Amino acid sequence: MDQAMGHLFSAALRTAAHYRIADHLAEGPRTAEQLAVATDTHAPHLRRVLRYLAARGIFREDASGAYQLTPAARPLRTDVPDSLHPAVMLITDELLLRTSALMPETVREGGAAFERVFGTPFFAHLGSDPDRRQLFDSGMSALSGPVDEAVVAAYPFPETGTVVDVGGGRGGLLRAALRRHPQLTGVLFDQPPPLAHHLLDGDELKGRWRTEEGDFFASVPEGGDVYVLKHVLHDWPDEDCRRILRTCRGAMVRGSRLLIVDCVLAPGNAPHFGKTMDVAMMALLDGQERTAEEFATLLSAGGFRLTRVLPTAAFPSIVEAVAD
């Protein structure tokens, strides 16, 4: 029954993030009454939400009735480098909540639930709503932060050459790769909204990158040594993925490599965040997470050969491929 009521935990977590409770606790424990004054909320109700979250390890109530941060609550702060606050606000937004509520219909009929709820495909909806686009871009950037560092630590990027980050959002992965390999250059390729808030400014990267706007279904920048698709293919069904892969293949030169950074699902019943992501992709986008065998089949149809799959310290793996 506790698992069946999991939507209440998401709502409580969103409430804490919305009122920035973790920020208010950064300087020390505070009671629910003190927090209510600081957040202009109803103290008895706030205390009940905090008590519920504390039972799940988010915050802790001490003997005096004051609440304090826990390691699990720290990423809810907005002022820490590894903040997950934007990601929590995205994941608990009605974009996902209303969509997941239609899962029975999605399983019966196929396709993405999002379009049934909102009347338009997910990315088209974001294109018509700048605030939601900002929510999505900031949330994905926060969710990707730990992934970016894990990927560049796990993969032997070349010391020189050009990395083309296809659909790279704000460029967190490209920034991490360029920082770790000072002779590399990079191209951040995406649509205008995320590029407008890219993360590549700074003296240490000066002169080593450029941004380029475009549609990866039509073309991608040519001549790169490493092409990266991070959290791109899981957004799309197989036929669209084949189109993206063929576009990348047409831009690549002999010897260049393709890296797909996505969850790689293992057989069996072991828990994996990728299985959660897979159901989310089904509801939002008619996309999916894939097994290594499914990636190999997809890559072969796109003109590639899978060479290896590397795990990372985060939830996705790195699927490396070369032009066939």
Side-chain angles (χ1 to χ4, degrees), residues 106-176:
T106 302
V107 168
R108 183 181 67 243
E109 300 175 12
F114 186 90
E115 193 165 351
R116 297 188 183 96
V117 177
F118 292 93
T120 183
F122 181 72
F123 286 116
H125 181 80
L126 293 184
S128 65
D129 187 334
D131 290 339
R132 282 276 165 64
R133 180 76 211 210
Q134 170 70 12
L135 173 70
F136 176 78
D137 289 339
S138 61
M140 288 303 299
S141 181
L143 185 63
S144 294
V147 173
D148 297 335
E149 296 299 331
V151 168
V152 299
Y155 188 78
F157 282 88
E159 291 305 314
T160 61
T162 300
V163 177
V164 181
D165 196 354
V166 177
R170 295 182 174 183
L173 176 59
L174 184 59
R175 179 180 63 177

Side-chain angles (χ1 to χ4, degrees), residues 16 33 39-40 53 68 146 160 219 225 252 278 310:
E33 290 72 20
T39 58
D40 192 25
L53 291 172
Q68 55 191 255
T160 61
S219 66
D225 298 284
M252 294 170 66
D278 182 49
L310 297 174

Side-chain angles (χ1 to χ4, degrees), residues 53-78:
L53 291 172
R56 298 288 192 96
I58 310 293
F59 311 121
R60 187 174 76 84
E61 184 180 12
D62 63 24
S64 70
Y67 288 88
Q68 55 191 255
L69 289 176
T70 60
R74 181 183 176 277
L76 289 176
R77 289 177 55 180
T78 62

